[in-house]
Structure formats: C-alpha cells, structure tokens
Amino acid sequence: MVTRREVRERRRLRSRRLRAVLAGGLVLGIGVAATLAAWNDSEYGSASFTAGRFDIVGAIDGTTFSSHATAGTAATLNFQLAPTAMAPGNSTYALFSVKTANPSVAGTLQLTAGTPGGTGLATYLTYGVRTIAGTTCNSTTYAAGTAVVADGSALTANGSGAQAVTANGGASVNYCFAVTLPLTAPNAAQGLTMTQTWQFLGTSS
C-alpha cells in the first residue's frame, strides 16, 4: 500500500522532471534562433563625369563664325573707310562679333591690344570700341553702344571690364571698332602705315 508520503514524493519527482524538460526546451529554442541566417540588403549610388569645353569663335560680318585662335590666324577687320585712305578728321568703323561655339560653356571676354607695327602711323591714330545691339557697325550704332575702350584711346589701350558670353553659341557679343586720325595729325603722318592685332581672351565661367 502506497502511503501519502510516497505519493507526495512521486509528485515532487514528476514536477522536477517536467521543469527539467521545459528548461531543456527553452535552451533548445534559443539554440535554434541563434542559427538563423541574418537577412541583409544594400543600396548603391554611382556617377559618371565628363568635362565640358569652352571655345569661342569670331566673325567680321556677324554671320560667318570660325576660329582665329592665334595672332597668325587673326581675322582682318573690314573697315568702312579703307585704312589706306585715312585723312585728318576721318573715323572708320569695323565689326567683330564673338560667341561661344556649340557645344561650349558660358564665359567672359576681355579685349586686349597688341603692340602696333608699321612705320609709325599708330603714334597719331586713336581708337575706341563699343559693344552694339546688332551687327551693323557705323557712326550711329557706335554712338548708341556701350564703351569697352574709351574714345580717343591710344592703339595700345586694352578694354575695360569683361563682357559675358552665353553658352552653346546662344548670343554673340558684337564689338564695333572706331579708328580715328585726329584733325591735329601733322604732315609727318602722311604716308605712314600701322598694323594692329587685338585679342579677345575668353574665360569660362
């Protein structure tokens, strides 16, 4: 016959075994969770770059643009009054238009004068340069333009300030040159010659 004490002892043993099984299950559960592979994901960004270019071209007629990259390939300006017929009091005008090539980034232009050549006429000549709205360069449009080189300047004078030039040949900057042999030119100026080259230095913006 089983006593109450034995019954209680058997119940106590079963309870211990159950707790041990549950504890083992908890340990087993943790072990399973620890072996699961971690999920991951990635995002990527990339970029490619190509350098732009800056290139300017010029035209003496405001229409036919081409490159005149060196003094040796300078375009010959078409002065209204032939430079071989200058007399005291005469002024003659010539157009030179500059724009960016296509493609090209935008930039600025700076006019600089070279050293005059010839036999000395540059000593007596003066000049001025203005930017004008269109491509007709004469005394009327010159008077309405914006000064780049002040009237009456020596042939060695550079332009003041810089002129903006738009990207991709969008718009040209039209320069109107006015060269004058003053009324005060002496007889010694007769028969002399002069050559001059102007540079339009373009800088990308």
Side-chain angles (χ1 to χ4, degrees):
M1 184 174 181
V2 180
T3 65
R4 291 182 178 178
R5 183 176 180 180
E6 289 174 336
V7 171
R8 286 196 299 271
E9 189 64 27
R10 289 175 182 175
R11 288 177 178 171
R12 195 176 297 115
L13 289 173
R14 285 197 299 268
S15 177
R16 288 176 180 173
R17 289 171 183 162
L18 179 61
R19 286 198 297 271
V21 170
L22 291 174
L26 290 173
V27 172
L28 179 62
I30 293 172
V32 171
T35 59
L36 289 176
W39 289 352
N40 60 70
D41 189 15
S42 300
E43 292 291 332
Y44 296 91
S46 66
S48 298
F49 297 89
T50 301
R53 59 180 296 175
F54 178 69
D55 188 15
I56 57 174
V57 289
I60 59 175
D61 59 1
T63 302
T64 309
F65 286 87
S66 59
S67 179
H68 309 91
T70 65
T73 60
T76 301
L77 303 185
N78 290 327
F79 281 93
Q80 291 179 326
L81 174 65
T84 56
M86 296 293 288
N90 286 159
S91 292
T92 187
Y93 301 87
L95 173 75
F96 193 69
S97 300
V98 181
K99 68 177 182 178
T100 56
N102 189 10
S104 173
V105 298
T108 57
L109 303 173
Q110 178 73 53
L111 186 155
T112 58
T115 301
T119 60
L121 184 59
T123 302
Y124 305 104
L125 292 174
T126 64
Y127 89 122
V129 181
R130 299 188 183 191
T131 55
I132 57 175
T135 57
T136 300
C137 174
N138 55 34
S139 59
T140 301
T141 58
Y142 180 86
T146 302
V148 175
V149 177
D151 295 344
S153 295
L155 270 294
T156 54
N158 297 325
S160 60
Q163 295 73 53
V165 61
T166 58
N168 302 321
S172 60
V173 179
N174 301 310
Y175 294 92
C176 186
F177 284 72
V179 177
T180 300
L181 183 61
L183 283 169
T184 55
N187 287 334
Q190 295 182 74
L192 298 180
T193 63
M194 185 277 296
T195 60
Q196 176 61 298
T197 301
W198 291 275
Q199 178 186 14
F200 297 84
L201 177 63
T203 304
S204 62
S205 58

